Amino acid sequence: MTYLSSNQLKQYEDQGFVSPINIFSKDKAKQIRNEIEFIEKQIPGELDKSGRYNAHLISPLLDEVTHNSKILDAVQSLIGEDILVCGTTLFIKNPNEKGFVSYHQDAKYIGLEPLNWVTAWVAITDSNEHNGCMRMWSGSHKDNLKEHEQMFNEGNLLTRGQTVNNVPKEKTTPLILEAGQMSLHHPTIVHGSDLNKSDDRRIGFVIQSYIGTNVKQVLGKNGVQLARGKDDYNFHETIRRPKLLMDKNDLKIKKKENDNLQEIFYKDSSKKGNY
């Protein structure tokens, strides 16, 4: 068992995140990258824009990551033993592209209440300050949700370009990860990331989110998978795990889930499109 240590739990409580956590080898990370890039080659556009959501529903290797016992042990330390997978996201920053993530709080638009959930950010490639790693505003999770301006700005990888203004970047902490490591962060911590200035892709696979079975979706509906424990609440529809790569029926399930996400992410917004 690889539950979080007392020092890691204190870091999460005080700072709103814990990092780095070793999960799997660099060789395994390279296998996963290869599968992601194979999907991109076989079905061009499948993982672009809105397609970057829920790739674990069509990829057995990403599904394996999502249900990894080391990850679940760490997550259990924070939200309890009854754990649901409620969506994943690929954050891919290609070299020489203007891809960034504005400073924001996950809980602002995702509709999951109560806040008994956590986000796992798994590095498929090394993630560092040169290629645009995440930066955390330590301790900001202790405040209430902040005002977010909807920028819809070019290059922003977020749905609405939602942005918390006046973040003291000099006080933010870079989460430097090697391929195969992960970080965990709180739903209300303010975080973002800069451009990739390297010559290679920066790939992060984000389980957003692991939720306790007591958590409801108040803005729409999500499909989930039971990752550990039992679900006595049954608030959500259950999605099957993939057995084959890019199975046609699984591709349909992924599209349905991503359509549901569009309704959630653009709730009360007049502007919709490729989120």
Side-chain angles (χ1 to χ4, degrees):
M1 297 294 186
T2 50
Y3 298 107
L4 296 182
S5 68
S6 57
N7 286 339
Q8 288 174 314
L9 290 171
K10 181 169 174 45
Q11 180 190 13
Y12 189 82
E13 180 181 356
D14 292 346
Q15 299 183 39
F17 62 89
V18 57
S19 177
I21 302 170
N22 295 324
I23 301 301
F24 46 75
S25 68
K26 288 197 170 189
D27 286 342
K28 185 68 173 181
K30 184 63 167 62
Q31 281 185 309
I32 296 164
R33 175 176 180 167
N34 289 343
E35 181 150 302
I36 292 168
E37 294 180 340
F38 182 74
I39 295 171
E40 290 177 318
K41 182 178 180 181
Q42 292 298 308
I43 315 179
E46 179 62 34
L47 302 182
D48 293 344
K49 296 181 179 178
S50 62
R52 64 196 175 97
Y53 295 98
N54 292 312
H56 71 295
L57 298 179
I58 63 169
S59 163
L61 274 181
L62 291 178
D63 172 79
E64 181 183 324
V65 175
T66 304
H67 295 265
N68 180 285
S69 61
K70 289 183 179 179
I71 296 178
L72 293 177
D73 286 347
V75 168
Q76 181 173 330
S77 302
L78 299 174
I79 69 171
E81 63 184 0
D82 299 323
I83 303 171
L84 301 174
V85 177
C86 187
T88 64
T89 310
L90 280 169
F91 279 103
I92 300 176
K93 293 183 180 179
N94 293 314
N96 304 313
E97 288 185 358
K98 296 180 179 181
F100 70 99
V101 176
S102 56
Y103 283 90
H104 67 286
Q105 295 166 297
D106 293 340
K108 184 69 175 179
Y109 293 109
I110 207 164
L112 297 173
E113 297 180 5
L115 296 179
N116 185 34
W117 51 279
V118 64
T119 297
W121 203 103
V122 183
I124 306 303
T125 64
D126 291 349
S127 183
N128 50 56
E129 291 186 86
H130 189 52
N131 67 7
C133 67
M134 273 200 305
R135 304 186 69 94
M136 296 282 165
W137 186 2
S138 180
S140 58
H141 66 299
K142 297 179 181 180
D143 298 332
N144 295 327
L145 286 177
K146 300 180 182 297
E147 290 297 321
H148 287 60
E149 185 176 357
Q150 298 182 46
M151 305 291 288
F152 294 100
N153 39 351
E154 183 180 359
N156 198 332
L157 298 180
L158 295 183
T159 55
R160 306 182 183 189
Q162 52 264 39
T163 302
V164 175
N165 291 315
N166 301 316
V167 174
K169 186 178 176 183
E170 70 281 0
K171 295 183 180 180
T172 61
T173 302
L175 300 194
I176 298 171
L177 300 171
E178 295 182 359
Q181 293 183 323
M182 78 164 182
S183 62
L184 295 171
H185 66 262
H186 191 276
T188 60
I189 190 169
V190 177
H191 62 288
S193 64
D194 294 327
L195 300 176
N196 177 4
K197 298 178 182 178
S198 76
D199 296 326
D200 193 13
R201 311 180 89 186
R202 192 225 66 177
I203 303 176
F205 177 60
V206 185
I207 299 92
Q208 190 182 37
S209 304
Y210 287 111
I211 68 175
T213 56
N214 66 317
V215 175
K216 292 182 178 181
Q217 171 52 256
V218 299
L219 295 179
K221 56 185 177 180
N222 282 118
V224 300
Q225 296 168 337
L226 181 64
R228 178 170 287 183
K230 59 182 180 178
D231 183 2
D232 291 330
Y233 295 89
N234 297 306
F235 290 144
H236 314 273
E237 180 183 352
T238 300
I239 308 172
R240 73 184 189 187
R241 296 179 63 178
K243 295 181 179 179
L244 300 173
L245 180 61
M246 294 181 289
D247 176 82
K248 290 182 179 179
N249 289 324
D250 291 336
L251 285 163
K252 292 178 182 177
I253 292 171
K254 174 175 176 281
K255 184 180 185 306
K256 175 186 174 184
E257 285 303 307
N258 288 355
D259 287 344
N260 288 339
L261 273 181
Q262 177 155 335
E263 294 302 317
I264 293 167
F265 288 155
Y266 286 98
K267 191 79 171 179
D268 302 324
S269 173
S270 61
K271 185 169 183 176
K272 294 188 179 182
N274 287 315
Y275 56 106

